[in-house]
Amino acid sequence: MEISCPKPYNEYDKIVLAHGSGGRLSNRLIHDIIISVLGETYIDSAHDGAVLDIPGKQAFTTDSFVVTPLFFPGGDIGYLAVNGTVNDLVCCGARPLYLSLSLIIEEGLLISELVSVISSVAKAARIAGIKIVTGDTKVVEKGKADKIFINTAGVGSIPEGRIISPHQCAEGDVIIITGTIADHGISILSTREGLSFDSPIRSDCTPMNEIAELIFSVTNDIHVMRDPTRGGVASALNEISHTSGKEIIINESDLPLNPLVKGACEIMGFDPLYLANEGKLLVFLPGKYAGRVLSAIRSHPYGRHARIIGKVTGDEPIVKMKTLVGSTRIVEMITGEQLPRIC
Amino acid sequence: MKYIDEYRDPDIVRRVAAKIRDSVTRQWSIMEICGGQTHAIMKYNLTELLPPEITLIHGPGCPVCVTPLEKIDKALVLASIEGTILASFGDMMRVPGTSSDLLRAKAEGADVRVVYSPLDALKTAIANPERKVVFFAIGFETTAPANALALIQAARMELSNFFLLSSHVLVPPAIRAILSSEDTSIDGLLAPGHVCTVTGYDDYIDLASEFNLPVAVTGFEPIDILHGILTTVQMLESGRNEVENCYSRSVNREGNPHALKTMYDVFEVCDRQWRGIGLIPGSGLAIRDKYSAFDAEKHFTLNNIVSKEPEICIAGAVLRGTARPSDCPAFGISCTPEHPLGAPMVSSEGACAAYYHYKSQH
């Protein structure tokens, strides 16, 4: 009679706690799944950390991503996790260089879903031209996370002559938005709530570094750039207004809106000014460059719908809007989450 | 967008506003009853387009705002019962109860879910047969028929785990109460277009003749509202105390008989407490005895919950139209949308929140 021990399983279709134990399964998860899918976008220094040699001024930023659902029309959490950090670097005037990638995975996540997410990380990194140089993976018990949380931190170098900051906001500045607003917010909300429209509303999730470089090819004299993510355009404008102490006036009729997004907002009772964007920039710049910068932005596929939406008009920290019907009102900061209205 | 953009056309807005200016010869106070109208007035700052003779008074038609404190406290108790799922419309989540709100209850572990329709709550009950699902049924005659329909379906399916915490209210009795109070100064009314879509406007014809004032059944887009105001002003100026339907693309005199039949099949008229206003006879809808198995207040023990509103809040005066939100000492200081003391600061349809967001915070 031959005695044999039951062999442990090595093949899993779902993440189990042992994938985070530091042992063989962890190793396989990191090398066979994550690093292999990241491909050439990952620089493996086989070390405890990455050693970077970056001359000059740098920007450094971090962001965590906890979006539900993981997959939505136009992107997923992996794509978002790279683009979110890339766009924050871009808003500092930086060219994105290096990224860290940390995953907190809830046990039970399908390996196939993880592979999709990491593929999107690689795709976004390739498009943005950023390299992933360090990372971490943890697995937590069921219920301790929601499928997967991702943190990325990014470093970029700021070329000489660029000083981009909300403090630079100046009276007379013209404000450009690089495209339609609220696409990401409505894409997520309609997917989450199971609301379907004739065609799915796609998130605008994209890296903005190419558009930023097109802007800087016209002039380095850009005062503020901001990606209006959570809280939308209204909150971003309020932050800039309060930081700089300047009055901002926007025109409601100039806000670019995808008709599908507009329809969804009407049905659900949401104000597009407060919904998230993940592939848009607000650009504040002296009026004399506005025309050329607008043309430069519109020459890029992600910038076709760019518009001038308003200007900086005075020395009071307030955001106002000329409404569609010709009156003027205040645009406040968002309060908590937007909640669907009863009727 | 068709049927929306036409009603926001700036040229037509200007023309109607000019007509209002041309028609008015003296001071008039007009109450827009519905919170949706208040929201649109603030969002488009329509008061800026009106002549100074017109004063708009913001009525009690925000269902979230008038839901009594006690019902919120009951919802909070229900949410805290182990195994219960409380389903609610989104804008009830932040409404302050005596010591908490549903968002906080959720953060503390209660299973509170935002739904878009009572039928979503019904689906939750079907999908979770081992759990008790309570739908927080609030609103005016607009939401009551759909909520009634959910109960009828639950009864048909013989569900034993679906309940309504009903806090439905009726508009005409509240308007009657406001117009009967001594401190009222209302010359004309904009009747709520969505409510009238369901109920028709016979009740408003009664109000017009009872209180000798004109009523315009009014919609929610800028041109709808200005059209309602213009019509009311013209009736006031010519001394006609009639009802005119300015929202005929949605409202007819009879309303929607199917919706009304469904509503009164499940609900019967009862006396109801209004937050900030008090008890108004015949102003609520209670679940009829034949559906009492689905009545959360009968199934769960909630009788011992008695609540008292904060004294500083002048929500009552705001909802009656005798004070403006900015008259309140707490407005924008201790009462903000982040920390609302009273319900009109919570919902985007509440007069205080609309003032805070779109007008002036101090």
Side-chain angles (χ1 to χ4, degrees), chain B residues 269-282:
Chain B
V269 172
C270 66
D271 298 345
R272 174 63 37 88
Q273 198 79 28
W274 290 53
R275 191 170 194 169
I277 296 179
L279 188 83
I280 303 177

Side-chain angles (χ1 to χ4, degrees), chain B residues 20-30 51-55 185-188 232-239:
Chain B
I20 296 172
R21 280 195 297 277
D22 293 344
S23 309
V24 75
T25 63
R26 46 169 287 198
Q27 301 284 332
W28 299 114
S29 294
I30 299 171
E53 290 89 342
I54 308 279
T55 304
S185 59
I186 297 161
D187 300 310
T232 308
V233 167
Q234 286 170 336
M235 287 194 278
L236 283 166
E237 292 286 343
S238 58

Side-chain angles (χ1 to χ4, degrees), chain A residues 107-307:
Chain A
E107 65 175 329
L109 178 74
L110 287 172
I111 302 263
S112 60
E113 289 189 322
L114 178 65
V115 168
S116 297
V117 169
I118 302 299
S119 304
S120 297
V121 168
K123 181 180 163 196
R126 257 193 298 275
I127 297 173
I130 199 166
K131 294 290 180 195
I132 296 151
V133 290
T134 186
D136 182 49
T137 305
K138 296 280 189 299
V139 179
V140 297
E141 285 170 43
K142 192 103 188 144
K144 296 279 168 68
D146 190 2
K147 292 188 173 174
I148 185 168
F149 295 155
I150 302 182
N151 172 274
T152 56
V155 179
S157 69
I158 303 174
E160 196 90 357
R162 294 184 188 174
I163 307 166
I164 316 294
S165 150
H167 295 285
Q168 297 294 111
C169 171
E171 194 170 338
D173 278 0
V174 164
I175 306 165
I176 294 174
I177 182 88
T178 59
T180 52
I181 65 169
D183 300 359
H184 179 73
I186 287 294
S187 172
I188 294 290
L189 282 166
S190 51
T191 311
R192 196 184 291 167
E193 305 298 340
L195 301 170
S196 53
F197 299 94
D198 287 349
S199 53
I201 294 171
R202 292 173 66 81
S203 164
D204 58 347
C205 183
T206 39
M208 296 303 289
N209 53 322
E210 286 184 8
I211 286 198
E213 290 308 318
L214 284 171
I215 294 169
F216 289 119
S217 72
V218 176
T219 174
N220 271 339
D221 192 9
I222 302 296
H223 291 168
V224 190
M225 289 209 286
R226 180 63 61 94
D227 57 336
T229 53
R230 259 184 320 186
V233 167
S235 301
L237 292 177
N238 268 286
E239 282 165 19
I240 295 165
S241 167
H242 288 123
T243 306
S244 62
K246 301 291 181 197
E247 180 187 84
I248 291 171
I249 296 186
I250 57 170
N251 289 313
E252 189 171 17
S253 55
D254 290 332
L255 294 172
L257 259 184
N258 171 343
L260 281 175
V261 170
K262 184 177 171 185
C265 284
E266 295 290 344
I267 291 167
M268 294 195 273
F270 289 130
D271 187 339
L273 272 178
Y274 293 98
L275 291 174
N277 308 275
E278 290 293 346
K280 297 291 156 21
L281 295 177
L282 284 164
V283 186
F284 287 55
L285 73 171
K288 60 182 173 182
Y289 302 116
R292 279 159 61 208
V293 165
L294 193 61
S295 307
I297 297 170
R298 284 182 177 164
S299 71
H300 193 278
Y302 299 154
R304 284 196 309 272
H305 302 291
R307 293 281 287 269

Side-chain angles (χ1 to χ4, degrees), chain B residues 138-217:
Chain B
I138 69 148
F140 294 98
E141 295 92 327
T142 38
T143 53
N147 295 347
L149 192 64
L151 262 202
I152 291 170
Q153 291 196 1
R156 222 175 266 158
M157 296 163 80
E158 297 178 358
L159 289 186
S160 57
N161 67 328
F162 181 72
F163 308 93
L164 287 194
L165 175 61
S166 168
S167 191
H168 283 295
V169 278
L170 301 169
V171 174
I175 301 304
R176 183 165 281 115
I178 288 169
L179 293 174
S180 305
S181 72
E182 282 174 10
D183 53 357
T184 184
S185 59
I186 297 161
D187 300 310
L189 292 174
L190 304 186
H194 289 153
V195 168
C196 292
T197 303
V198 173
T199 63
Y201 53 86
D202 276 348
D203 286 338
Y204 299 85
I205 294 174
D206 296 344
L207 285 170
S209 67
E210 197 177 327
F211 294 96
N212 292 319
L213 44 67
V215 179
V217 179

Side-chain angles (χ1 to χ4, degrees), chain B residues 3 43 54 77 200 281 355:
Chain B
Y3 305 121
K43 188 172 176 196
I54 308 279
V77 168
Y355 262 63

Side-chain angles (χ1 to χ4, degrees), chain B residues 228-352:
Chain B
I229 293 171
L230 173 65
T231 306
T232 308
V233 167
Q234 286 170 336
M235 287 194 278
L236 283 166
E237 292 286 343
S238 58
R240 286 186 292 130
N241 296 323
E242 297 167 6
V243 176
E244 283 207 29
N245 182 5
C246 301
Y247 196 38
S248 57
R249 70 181 185 281
S250 178
V251 175
N252 62 44
R253 186 167 169 177
E254 295 72 36
N256 180 336
H258 297 295
L260 287 170
K261 187 178 174 304
T262 305
M263 182 169 102
Y264 284 113
D265 180 33
V266 170
F267 297 113
E268 60 191 347
V269 172
C270 66
D271 298 345
R272 174 63 37 88
Q273 198 79 28
W274 290 53
R275 191 170 194 169
I277 296 179
L279 188 83
I280 303 177
S283 70
L285 290 174
I287 297 170
R288 287 186 188 274
D289 279 345
K290 64 174 171 172
Y291 289 104
S292 64
F294 301 96
D295 189 338
E297 290 185 89
K298 299 215 167 107
H299 182 84
F300 299 91
T301 312
L302 299 168
N303 292 336
N304 49 352
I305 298 167
V306 184
S307 314
K308 193 169 176 292
E309 292 175 27
E311 279 172 13
I312 189 169
C313 177
I314 62 162
V318 171
L319 293 172
R320 284 195 307 275
T322 56
R324 291 190 173 272
S326 44
D327 296 338
C328 178
F331 178 76
I333 300 165
S334 58
C335 182
T336 62
E338 291 90 348
H339 300 285
L341 292 179
M345 188 54 103
V346 179
S347 165
S348 59
E349 295 183 12
C352 298

